[in-house]
Amino acid sequence: MFKKILIANRGEIACRVMATARKLGIKTVAVYSDADAGAKHVAMADEAYRIGPAPVSESYLKTDAIIDVCRKSGAEAVHPGYGFLSENPDFVDALDKAGITFIGPSSRSIGAMGLKDAAKALMVEAGVPVVPGYHGDNQDPDFLKSEAEQIGYPVLIKARAGGGGKGMRRVDDPKDFLDALKGAQREGEASFGDGRVLIEKYLTKPRHIEIQVFGDNHGNAVHLFERDCSLQRRHQKVIEEAPAPGMPEEMRRAMGEAAVKAAKAIDYSGAGTIEFIADVSDGLRSDRFYFMEMNTRLQVEHPVTEMITGEDLVEWQLRVASGEPLPKSQDELSFGGWAFEARLYAEDAPKGFLPAIGTLDHLVLPEDSARVDSGVRAGDEITPYYDPMIAKVIVHGPTRDAALGKLLASLEATEVAGCVTNAAFLAALCRHEGFARGDVDTGLIDRDLNSLIREPEVPEDAVALAALTALGLTRPAEGHDPFATLAGWRIWSASRQYALLEIAGERLDVEVHARGHRRFAVHLPGGIRQYTLIKVTDGAYTYECEGHRARAAVASSKKGLTVFLNGHAFPIILPDTLSADEEAASAGDQLVAPMPGLVKVLTARAGNKVTKDQPLVILEAMKMEHTLKAPRDGVIGEVLVSEGEQVTDGTVLLALGEEESDAVA
Ligand code: ADP
């Protein structure tokens, strides 16, 4: 076994790998960019080395810098995590040349599966079923369009080098084909430096079911059962589970066998995933699943497999890479119970899942009830340079219902302030009836998106607690000074104070009367309510209001306050912290870049009349395209940016004026 390994990654996966290395007594070496100098993975490692500036092309993707650190530190092997260099055959070859072991498959295996088109051709040869479509060399737009016609609409255009849902476009109507093709090519080019595409029949009721496989250098290959990753948004996984709900034993066997066949076809060694798409328009059937692609690395969602099998997949990777045979044979593997993983992201679900950035001023992860794989700590920053994942929340239970209940409770116990997250969206998914029944397909989220991202009204209790906090009336007593515990209370008359809050774009002046020891009358839009703070500890309150006792937490951040109540986070702005720019933006007079990015497409022209929600700008950020829409009807005043321009978050992209009356001269 290795004595020292380098982890060529960051964030949660770097930390995850280090945890197993430490368990096995292996020393760990971290690498980091300037943006990550204070990151958790750096703090966790035995040694850490800077490899360059924040952009990944200048740090985490620099083969030479990583090999250099191996030499300096004496690391014998490199674990690539996922993303970055994990599926780069040139990186594996370079390590090979330097006499360093790559903890993963051979460059040949990676190469064979690296491009979706070549991989499909290989699988056809190996007798593994593939999705009908065109995966040839001819990239002429008109030719591809005629292929699409033959396949029959709807079709899916995929960047052949794509991954993570990038570079994919569904097309329902031939008239949209060429535009969609351009979009897919553009994204493929931007993300992978390869704009070539393939075209597939788009299955209208598919499930994404993947099989975890493992091979070693002694010719063995096994599978560790399936994961269902059908809950997706923009082809990106949101919640994964294992096993797959409703999976017939016969189909499980057929998929497992096909996956092992695929792995053996490329002499696979290490952890890999064979992704299948199952056509469930007729239920789960053994003759209706197709190979989509193979990921030749550890998957983000590997923990659900670990939870049901009790195996540590990183330990398997390390053993196999150090030359040991697979720890178990197929017959020795089994699974039990049910596991879910939810991906907690810094993103704004109601605003089209825009990636968010910010400082995690307050972070409580549900470590008591779940396994939490995270690469950040309170106070850390989510930067625009990397994937905005905050944590993976992973649960296991004896049954699917029990595990899902645990997932919901864990998400409801999650508190993040300083950065918007998708926690409420994930919790809403846990409450979704179809999902609860196990009736999943990849269209579920889109179909019910509106109800899944609906933001509940801010409850009056949240408003009251925010007002009390803003006025400094909730501070815990310090020492025994009786006056310190009587914040806001006067002997002779009840004091009146006003808290100015901004909630969902509306300002509210909340009048508060102190009535005695931690007792307050709060004037709320629905009337006056009496509050008593029963227990106050570090931002967590137990309070009573009109005979009802409840718990809540309030965290403050640069952006104001966040009240955590009933499993929801309610952001409340304290208006004097609001800048003039933001005020104008919230009034809809400007279109503001919500994050740093590149102005990819600009359709807006000064003087153009636009209607609310009309797409005006495509911003590329974090390698994805985000469409920014008109905040209201109006006429475009000034356009302040141009295509190809790099903008920071908060940049005003264009001004929106009022529509002139249409009086005819
Ligand atoms: P990536 O490598 O970018 O993750 P995949 O080829 O694995 O791309 O596909 C990602 C997701 O897109 C799948 O999980 C599935 O939901 C959807 N998808 C892929 N191919 C098809 C298809 N032919 N029909 C319908 N949905 C598809």
Side-chain angles (χ1 to χ4, degrees), residues 224-225 304-311 313 328 333-336:
L224 288 93
F225 314 102
V304 292
T305 299
E306 297 187 318
M307 300 300 262
I308 62 161
T309 59
E311 304 297 330
L313 297 190
K328 284 192 177 165
L333 285 162
S334 62
F335 69 89

Side-chain angles (χ1 to χ4, degrees), residues 116 131 156 158 162-166 168 200-204 206 208 229 232 235-237 275 277 292-293 295 442:
K116 291 178 200 286
V131 189
L156 188 64
K158 286 185 183 178
K166 289 167 196 159
M168 263 199 283
E200 281 181 3
K201 173 89 195 151
Y202 186 87
L203 305 177
T204 47
H208 173 119
C229 312
Q232 301 184 346
H235 307 301
Q236 299 204 70
K237 297 162 188 168
E275 295 192 333
I277 189 162
M292 253 190 318
E293 65 165 355
N295 292 322
T442 61

Side-chain angles (χ1 to χ4, degrees), residues 87 116 120 131-132 154-168 170 192 198-210 229-237 275-278 290-295 297 299 441-443:
E87 293 180 283
K116 291 178 200 286
K120 278 181 83 173
V131 189
V155 297
L156 188 64
I157 308 176
K158 286 185 183 178
R160 66 169 188 163
K166 289 167 196 159
M168 263 199 283
R170 169 185 170 161
F192 315 103
L198 62 146
I199 302 182
E200 281 181 3
K201 173 89 195 151
Y202 186 87
L203 305 177
T204 47
K205 198 170 185 212
R207 267 168 72 172
H208 173 119
I209 301 177
E210 58 185 35
C229 312
S230 299
L231 285 200
Q232 301 184 346
R233 157 105 192 124
R234 274 189 170 189
H235 307 301
Q236 299 204 70
K237 297 162 188 168
E275 295 192 333
F276 291 104
I277 189 162
Y290 311 98
F291 170 90
M292 253 190 318
E293 65 165 355
M294 176 172 191
N295 292 322
R297 54 167 162 84
Q299 262 339 47
D441 70 271
T442 61

Side-chain angles (χ1 to χ4, degrees), residues 210-282:
E210 58 185 35
I211 307 282
Q212 175 71 52
V213 293
F214 242 100
D216 64 17
N217 297 318
H218 307 275
N220 305 306
V222 297
H223 69 84
L224 288 93
F225 314 102
E226 79 277 5
R227 294 184 284 259
D228 193 309
C229 312
S230 299
L231 285 200
Q232 301 184 346
R233 157 105 192 124
R234 274 189 170 189
H235 307 301
Q236 299 204 70
K237 297 162 188 168
V238 176
I239 293 182
E240 303 98 342
E241 63 183 301
M247 176 73 119
E249 198 46 51
E250 181 206 345
M251 183 167 178
R252 173 171 295 131
R253 201 172 322 111
M255 291 186 80
E257 278 165 12
V260 170
K261 196 162 19 166
K264 285 199 160 153
I266 55 166
D267 296 323
Y268 198 74
S269 162
T273 295
I274 314 284
E275 295 192 333
F276 291 104
I277 189 162
D279 178 357
V280 293
S281 47
D282 231 355

